[in-house]
Amino acid sequence: NFSTTRIQNLLERSNQKLSSDHSDWKAWTQKANCHHLLGERSQASEAYRKALYSRTQDTKAEIWFAIGLFYYDIEVLAKAEPAFLVALRIDPEFSFRIIIYLKLALLYLKTSQTDKAFSYFEKCANCNDSNFLKSVALCFYGNTLEKQNKLAQATEKYREAMQCHFSAQTVGCLVWGLILHELFEPSLMLLDNLFKSCSVDSETLVHLNYLKARACIGAQNYQAALELLTETLKHNPENSLFWVTTGTLYFETEQLKDAYDCFMKALETNFDLPEAVYNIGLIYEKCKQKQEALAAFRRIAPESNVFEKAQSRINALLEELEAGTPSCIQPSVDIISVFFPQEKFTFVGISDHRSFNMYPVYGSAFGRPREEQFTPSFPPRNSLDFPSHKYFF
C-alpha cells in the first residue's frame, strides 16, 4: 500500500546507506524491494543477488522470503517455490511464515498440486500469527473444495474464515456457501447483520448485493432480487455473470423475451459464455423452436460445466424430433450452475483475480450477423406486474 513517492524515498535512503557501507544486506534488501514494487525487475534481481552475497547466517531467511515474493509476483514459480522453502528451512519460526504458507498454497494451486496446496492451507489455519491471513487462506481453501464439488467441506472452511476475521469478504464467501446449500434465509440474515455492523466499500457492495439477489431468487422474492440486480448492473454493466443471473430471474417468472435479451447482453461481454448459450437454448426449446435450441446446445464446449446438461437436452430433443412427440424432460435453468468467483472481490492485493474474458460482439449465439439474427417466437407476457428489463437497460 506504499505510494510511489514513499517507495522512491525509501530507495534513495537505501542508496545513501550503500554509498557508505556496500555490504549492508538490509540496505540491499530494501533497495531490491523498492525496485520490485516499482516494477523494475532487473534492478530488483541484481539487488537481491547482492543482498545474498552480503548476508549473515541469521538473516538469510528474510532475504529468501523477499526473493520468493519477487519471483511469485512476476510468475516465475519454479524459482519462487525453492526460495520460500529455503526461508522456512533456515528459520521454521520465521515471523512472516504464514505469508509463505499462503503463497506456497496458491503457488501449488496454480501448478495443479492440490494436495500440497491443501497441506499449506492447513498450516495457515494452524498458525496463530494473523487472523486476517488465516481467513484469506481458509477462503481460498473453501473455494478450492467447492470447485471439487465438496460443498459441505467448502462451507465449513468459509465458516471458519468468518470466525477468524469477520469482514465483508469472509461473510460473502460464507453466504455463497449457504446459497449453494439452498439456505437462503440464513444467507439474507447474515448479509443484513454485516450491513448493520460494518461499512463496505462500493466495489465490494456491488458483489454483496449480487449475492443478496441470488439468495432472494432462491427465497422466491423476485421483486427484491430484481431491484438488487438492477443496482448491480448500474455499477457494473459489463459483468456477464450479473446479466446471466438477471436473465435467469426473468426466465423463472416466464418473461422469456426479457430473459433472452439479458442472456444476449451477457454474450456481448463474454462471447460463447456457456451458461448464457445454454439458457438461450432453453428459451428456444420453450418457444418450440427445436432446431435453434439444438444449435445453441451444440455450441457448448466439452470442458464447460454445463456440457452434460446440454448433451441431455440434445438427446431429449433428438428423440422428440425422431418420434414426433414432446420430450418428457422439462427444461429448467439451474442458477446454482452459474459460477460466482469469490476471488473477484475477495482480499484485493492478495488473491489472484479471475477476470471475465472480453470479446467483441460477432452477432448472435449461433454465428449469424446481428441483422440476420433469428430471435425466438415469444409467447405473450403473462406477468405484466413484474417490471421489464427496459427499466434498467
Side-chain angles (χ1 to χ4, degrees):
N1 295 325
F2 286 3
S3 66
T4 301
T5 302
R6 186 177 177 188
I7 295 169
Q8 289 172 338
N9 289 338
L10 287 171
L11 178 59
E12 184 177 345
R13 206 173 305 159
S14 301
N15 287 331
Q16 289 173 354
K17 289 181 180 178
L18 290 169
S19 63
S20 58
D21 182 2
H22 204 66
S23 63
D24 186 339
W25 69 270
K26 287 187 177 180
W28 279 117
T29 304
Q30 181 171 280
K31 176 180 171 67
N33 291 340
C34 290
H35 285 305
H36 174 192
L37 292 172
L38 292 170
E40 298 167 353
R41 296 182 181 181
S42 59
Q43 294 97 316
S45 180
E46 177 65 16
Y48 283 130
R49 185 177 64 83
K50 290 185 177 179
L52 283 173
Y53 285 155
S54 57
R55 72 186 185 274
T56 59
Q57 188 63 29
D58 60 341
T59 58
K60 287 194 294 184
E62 186 174 335
I63 300 171
W64 283 110
F65 167 64
I67 291 171
L69 289 177
F70 169 68
Y71 281 123
Y72 182 90
D73 286 351
I74 66 173
E75 296 285 333
V76 185
L77 303 183
K79 292 186 177 181
E81 179 192 11
F84 286 139
L85 292 175
V86 167
L88 291 174
R89 195 180 308 126
I90 293 169
D91 184 1
E93 299 300 316
F94 181 53
S95 56
F96 295 115
R97 64 187 180 280
I98 190 170
I99 299 177
I100 296 179
Y101 295 156
L102 178 57
K103 290 297 185 180
L104 282 170
L106 296 175
L107 183 153
Y108 289 132
L109 281 183
K110 289 183 176 186
T111 54
S112 302
Q113 300 178 71
T114 309
D115 289 342
K116 284 187 175 181
F118 284 173
S119 71
Y120 277 97
F121 282 139
E122 290 289 353
K123 286 178 183 288
C124 288
N126 294 327
C127 191
N128 295 319
D129 291 352
S130 167
N131 284 337
F132 169 69
L133 290 175
K134 282 173 67 172
S135 70
V136 174
L138 286 164
C139 283
F140 276 110
Y141 197 172
N143 186 243
T144 307
L145 289 166
E146 180 191 320
K147 290 174 182 176
Q148 296 180 342
N149 291 317
K150 299 176 180 177
L151 301 185
Q153 293 172 260
T155 304
E156 186 55 35
K157 295 303 176 187
Y158 296 147
R159 194 183 307 277
E160 289 176 28
M162 191 190 72
Q163 290 169 346
C164 279
H165 182 73
F166 185 85
S167 68
Q169 289 77 15
T170 56
V171 169
C173 288
L174 178 56
V175 164
W176 175 243
L178 295 174
I179 289 172
L180 291 177
H181 283 84
E182 300 185 4
L183 298 171
F184 305 117
E185 292 301 331
S187 300
L188 292 169
M189 290 176 59
L190 192 54
L191 285 169
D192 288 341
N193 289 337
L194 172 70
F195 294 143
K196 290 175 184 176
S197 59
C198 296
S199 60
V200 180
D201 66 84
S202 59
E203 183 180 357
T204 302
L205 182 62
V206 169
H207 292 278
L208 291 174
N209 279 336
Y210 169 76
L211 286 175
K212 190 172 182 178
R214 290 287 292 259
C216 286
I217 292 173
Q220 297 186 347
N221 187 350
Y222 296 131
Q223 186 64 50
L226 180 66
E227 291 171 2
L228 288 162
L229 288 168
T230 300
E231 193 64 26
T232 62
L233 285 165
K234 282 180 183 176
H235 289 89
N236 201 338
E238 294 190 350
N239 189 315
S240 53
L241 175 70
F242 296 168
W243 284 112
V244 168
T245 300
T246 308
T248 300
L249 171 60
Y250 280 121
F251 187 98
E252 291 201 350
T253 56
E254 297 295 326
Q255 296 178 214
L256 299 186
K257 186 178 187 309
D258 292 324
Y260 176 84
D261 288 343
C262 288
F263 296 140
M264 291 301 298
K265 193 73 176 176
L267 292 175
E268 288 183 13
T269 56
N270 195 346
F271 190 68
D272 274 345
L273 180 68
E275 291 88 353
V277 176
Y278 175 80
N279 293 344
I280 286 171
L282 292 180
I283 290 175
Y284 274 118
E285 191 172 351
K286 278 214 163 204
C287 294
K288 311 299 182 186
Q289 294 172 247
K290 298 171 186 175
Q291 294 298 336
E292 287 77 12
L294 283 170
F297 295 137
R298 284 170 174 159
R299 191 180 181 94
I300 294 170
E303 62 271 15
S304 164
N305 63 333
V306 295
F307 178 73
E308 291 184 6
K309 291 182 181 181
Q311 290 302 300
S312 70
R313 297 311 312 151
I314 290 171
N315 294 335
L317 283 168
L318 290 176
E319 289 177 11
E320 184 179 331
L321 288 168
E322 186 175 343
T325 57
S327 169
C328 62
I329 303 175
Q330 293 300 314
S332 62
V333 176
D334 179 8
I335 60 171
I336 300 303
S337 69
V338 183
F339 177 67
F340 175 67
Q342 295 98 310
E343 60 265 36
K344 184 73 177 177
F345 76 101
T346 303
F347 310 116
V348 175
I350 295 178
S351 68
D352 305 300
H353 298 309
R354 172 185 182 269
S355 59
F356 291 104
N357 294 325
M358 306 296 286
Y359 294 92
V361 181
Y362 295 115
S364 77
F366 318 113
R368 297 187 179 94
R370 182 167 288 281
E371 59 270 16
E372 299 174 14
Q373 182 176 315
F374 187 69
T375 56
S377 301
F378 296 109
R381 288 168 54 88
N382 60 5
S383 49
L384 297 177
D385 57 329
F386 193 70
S388 169
H389 65 50
K390 67 184 179 182
Y391 293 108
F392 61 84
F393 259 66

